Amino acid sequence: MRALLAALLATTAFPAFADTITAGSQIISVTVYPQGAKITREVTFESPSAGAHELLITDLPAGTEPGLMQLAAAEGISTGAFSLRSDRLPPRDEALTPDQEAAKATVEAAEAALRAATSVVDAGNARIQAATARAGYLASISGQPPEGATAETLREFAKVIGEETLAAAEEASAARADLWPAQKALEEAQKALADAEASFAALPSRAQDYTVLSVGFESAGAGTRTITLSHYVDAASWRPFYDLRLTRKDGGGLTIDRSVLVSQETGEDWSGVDLTLSSSRPSEQSAPSTLWPWQRWIEKEQPPALERARNMGAAEMDMVIAPALAAEPAPISASAAMEGDTVVYHYPRKVDIADGVEDLRLSLDPLQAEPGIFALAVPSRDQSAFVMAKFTNSSGEPLLPGEALLYREGVLVGSTSLGLIPAGKETEIAFGALDSITLSRDMPQRDSGQTGVFSTSNQLSETAILRIENLGSESWPVKVIDQVPYSEQQDLSVKTTISPQPTVTDVEGQRGIMAWEFDLEAGAKQEISLGYTMSWPDGMVLR
């Protein structure tokens, strides 16, 4: 067995690298999706000679995934196997950008200034302490006059003590006067250092937590070589914001001003990158859901014990009567990043996006639409009509979900959340209340004083008058929505008395919902009489 193993080891080819080269990468472009991003890096290094070598790319973020990584080599080099290392990493040079080098020099100069200011303050404090100590010593001298001392000697001794005490006090006072500007200079030096350190920290920098990509390659010879690396990250996104501007002047129109917020938390700063925004959503479901056969059956009525089993939870029911359905696979989803023919937005200038600390706001080209503008009135719920814009998204690209500010004739009237509006889809957007068109829904009294609702044990009647009044100075196309009950039982009869007749019944397939459409001139009023009677047999209860 050992002989066989030795023979296999002798005849098996393993990659052998002549040299190991360490290099960093430069992010050159980023494609950001509504969730996730594709990052493209360029790695430039020196190949020492022809043959097989190992390249260690030492600055990939810690969360880099190898599954969707792609390598492309320039002329003169071919790449082989590659792997990611997240542990036992080789040391790397902390190379700084020119901006970081300048900021670091500013920090070092501020540190030197702080040390000098601190020395001046320390020297001033030392002078004060020395003068104070001298004055304290002189004050402590006491006792009897020396033997044989004359009056002149005592006068001289007292004079010396006084002069020295005065000199110490003056020196302490001068030191304190010099200390005040020195302390002010120290405070300014401390602030300058803090500002310099903050400026240095704010500059784009490489990730502190990183992983290393090991790439085997063969070079045609010595010289400068380039490898392009693409990989995908999840911690990046962009989301749209809209300013929707509606006007009826000059034929009316809708302008959709678009901007986006781009953010990323990949663990590294993006500095001077070429940015593309894609409306593709590779992180979402990319395949249609699957339907499975739905078996139904009938059986004889069961005793109460089994009847209770029918009322068990869904999971328990699957175990009792439908065990075959429990193993259904989940809907298929995929995370492959394929831009295909989806719409992308390329920003014309290089951008910087710091990791986790900022949202970059960019503008997109505005879109134009020719909407149908009308006033929508729901008298049973509202006291005024609302302005509606109905339009088709003819831009050729989808409008992604996002927040929108609503402007009508240049005035901010509200905000809304837009859902996904695919290209070619017709949609309606409300643009705030139209106070000049007032609404009411009244029930006229009968002769007996009763209101418009009349009920017996097997009959219910209601009569309502809808009033729509235009108090403004311009005509509006109006759409009024109201409802009557409907029945799917033969024994429950519903008869309506409506004047004028609605333009549309069962609006959008909703039974009992009806609409009247008409033009309402300035100062005009429209009334609609809406009545119904429901009848059912004796002994039955209306629900």
Side-chain angles (χ1 to χ4, degrees), residues 46 93 163 186 322 330 397 473:
E46 294 294 326
D93 295 332
E163 289 175 349
L186 177 61
E397 58 186 88
S473 59

Side-chain angles (χ1 to χ4, degrees), residues 18-35:
D19 294 283
T20 298
I21 302 123
T22 300
S25 64
Q26 175 71 36
I27 299 178
I28 56 175
S29 66
V30 177
T31 298
V32 182
Y33 305 100
Q35 183 62 51

Side-chain angles (χ1 to χ4, degrees), residues 122-410:
D122 290 344
N125 284 324
R127 288 173 57 197
I128 293 172
Q129 290 174 0
T132 302
R134 284 174 56 199
Y137 172 74
L138 293 170
S140 68
I141 296 176
S142 63
Q144 296 298 324
E147 186 177 350
T150 64
E152 184 65 25
T153 302
L154 292 176
R155 281 195 297 271
E156 288 296 329
F157 182 75
K159 180 180 179 181
V160 170
I161 294 295
E163 289 175 349
E164 290 299 321
T165 300
L166 177 60
E170 289 176 344
E171 186 174 344
S173 177
R176 290 190 186 95
D178 293 340
L179 183 61
W180 293 332
Q183 289 175 330
K184 181 64 175 178
L186 177 61
E187 293 174 359
E188 293 175 352
Q190 291 171 334
K191 183 179 184 303
L193 176 58
D195 292 344
E197 290 175 336
S199 297
F200 179 77
L203 292 173
S205 61
R206 294 196 296 173
Q208 298 302 311
D209 296 327
Y210 64 98
T211 188
V212 171
L213 180 66
S214 172
V215 182
F217 72 93
E218 289 193 5
S219 178
T224 303
R225 298 288 182 262
T226 301
I227 289 177
T228 301
L229 164 67
S230 296
H231 63 98
Y232 294 82
V233 295
D234 184 63
S237 64
W238 71 274
R239 59 190 189 276
F241 283 82
Y242 301 96
D243 288 334
L244 304 182
R245 304 180 185 277
L246 181 68
T247 180
R248 296 183 73 199
K249 298 177 181 178
D250 300 326
L254 174 63
T255 300
I256 304 173
D257 289 330
R258 303 178 295 166
S259 60
V260 297
L261 283 184
V262 187
S263 60
Q264 60 97 357
E265 297 181 3
T266 60
E268 63 178 341
D269 294 333
W270 296 347
S271 178
V273 300
D274 188 53
L275 180 65
T276 299
L277 304 177
S278 174
S279 61
S280 175
R281 299 180 295 279
S283 62
E284 298 182 10
Q285 179 176 327
S286 61
S289 302
T290 302
L291 288 179
W292 302 94
W294 185 14
Q295 181 185 8
R296 302 297 300 271
W297 63 89
I298 59 174
E299 58 185 19
K300 291 184 178 180
E301 186 176 357
Q302 300 297 328
L306 286 182
E307 184 65 26
R308 285 193 300 271
R310 287 192 175 92
N311 297 324
M312 295 167 61
E316 298 173 75
M317 287 293 290
D318 288 342
M319 296 173 62
V320 174
I321 63 173
L325 299 180
E328 292 181 2
I332 298 173
S333 62
S335 59
M338 299 294 294
E339 291 198 13
D341 57 357
T342 56
V343 177
V344 298
Y345 311 98
H346 179 257
Y347 198 66
R349 296 183 180 179
K350 306 291 184 182
V351 300
D352 297 336
I353 308 177
D355 169 49
V357 298
E358 67 178 347
D359 287 325
L360 178 67
R361 183 153 186 164
L362 304 174
S363 296
L364 300 180
D365 293 337
L367 303 177
Q368 299 292 331
E370 297 181 0
I373 304 174
F374 61 96
L376 181 62
V378 186
S380 64
R381 296 289 185 269
D382 304 323
Q383 295 181 345
S384 64
F386 286 78
V387 178
M388 303 295 296
K390 184 176 183 179
F391 68 98
T392 299
N393 179 13
S394 57
S395 65
E397 58 186 88
L399 296 179
L400 296 178
E403 299 301 311
L405 293 178
L406 305 172
Y407 295 86
R408 195 174 78 226
E409 307 300 344

Side-chain angles (χ1 to χ4, degrees), residues 493-508:
S493 170
V494 179
K495 296 181 179 180
T496 60
T497 304
I498 302 172
S499 178
Q501 290 297 309
T503 308
V504 182
T505 58
D506 297 342
V507 175
E508 297 181 356

